[in-house]
Amino acid sequence: MKSIKAICQTVAAVAVLTAATSYGETVHQSLNGTDARTGENAKAVEKNVMEVKSTPDGEIARVVGSVNQWGYVNYWFGLPAPAGKSVIRLKLWVDDPDLTSAYAIYVKREGQDPLVCRIKLPADVKKDSMVTVDIPVDVPQEWNCATLKKIVNNDKPSYWIRSISTVLE
């Protein structure tokens, strides 16, 4: 696990640097936080795996705290992202970072272990704020699913999710 953590820290640092210097990016596709699906492809909100909150800017959703460790939801993109480099961009509402659980994003890679990166908030995040978290993806084939998986054993929910997007450079 240490090597995954070290890789994710390095990747996160590169993502911040890339985001700060990248001008030619295109949002390939976006999904609302409420668009998550269960492993059985049911709507996660309808199966009570996610809860929804209305805000002046629209609905946001989060995975409920009762989800077990390794429990997950999938975000299926109708338009596959092309092979190579891209970014998963999360727009998250953070009401209290201390009252949420640790989650990671998984992307399947054919013939390899999945790409796994823990979701890390910026160090200066404030309570009751919207943050953007970019997760770099580099896979040798098209992909169209990002899995949000709980990686610790506790009864805390995920962050509130406004949207999840695939971004191409």
Side-chain angles (χ1 to χ4, degrees):
M1 292 300 287
K2 264 190 175 178
S3 62
I4 289 175
K5 182 178 178 183
I7 290 169
C8 284
Q9 287 173 338
T10 301
V11 168
V14 170
V16 169
L17 180 60
T18 300
T21 60
S22 178
Y23 299 104
E25 65 183 33
T26 302
V27 175
H28 183 63
Q29 186 174 7
S30 288
L31 298 171
N32 294 321
T34 57
D35 290 333
R37 311 294 285 195
T38 66
E40 296 80 32
N41 202 29
K43 291 183 178 184
V45 171
E46 291 177 3
K47 292 294 184 177
N48 299 316
V49 176
M50 294 189 85
E51 60 185 333
V52 177
K53 177 164 87 169
S54 292
T55 72
D57 297 325
E59 292 185 324
I60 54 179
R62 69 179 176 186
V63 180
V64 297
S66 61
V67 168
N68 296 334
Q69 183 178 7
W70 309 122
Y72 65 94
V73 296
N74 293 314
Y75 285 94
W76 288 98
F77 296 97
L79 301 171
K85 294 182 180 183
S86 58
V87 171
I88 295 173
R89 178 164 293 155
L90 297 162
K91 297 280 187 175
L92 305 173
W93 175 258
V94 180
D95 50 3
D96 188 342
D98 295 328
L99 298 179
T100 54
S101 189
Y103 275 78
I105 291 286
Y106 285 62
V107 174
K108 183 179 180 193
R109 296 186 294 182
E110 291 178 19
Q112 301 178 45
D113 289 335
L115 173 71
V116 180
C117 217
R118 183 179 179 148
I119 298 171
K120 291 190 134 195
L121 297 178
D124 61 349
V125 69
K126 294 178 176 35
K127 289 183 179 182
D128 297 324
S129 66
M130 186 68 67
V131 297
T132 300
V133 176
D134 283 352
I135 298 173
V137 176
D138 189 1
V139 293
Q141 76 280 339
E142 289 184 336
W143 62 275
N144 66 344
C145 180
T147 299
L148 178 67
K149 188 177 281 194
K150 190 173 191 177
I151 57 174
V152 295
N153 186 13
N154 64 28
D155 62 353
K156 296 178 182 179
S158 71
Y159 302 112
W160 290 100
I161 303 165
R162 164 94 54 226
S163 65
I164 180 170
S165 305
T166 53
V167 178
L168 308 177
E169 295 179 2

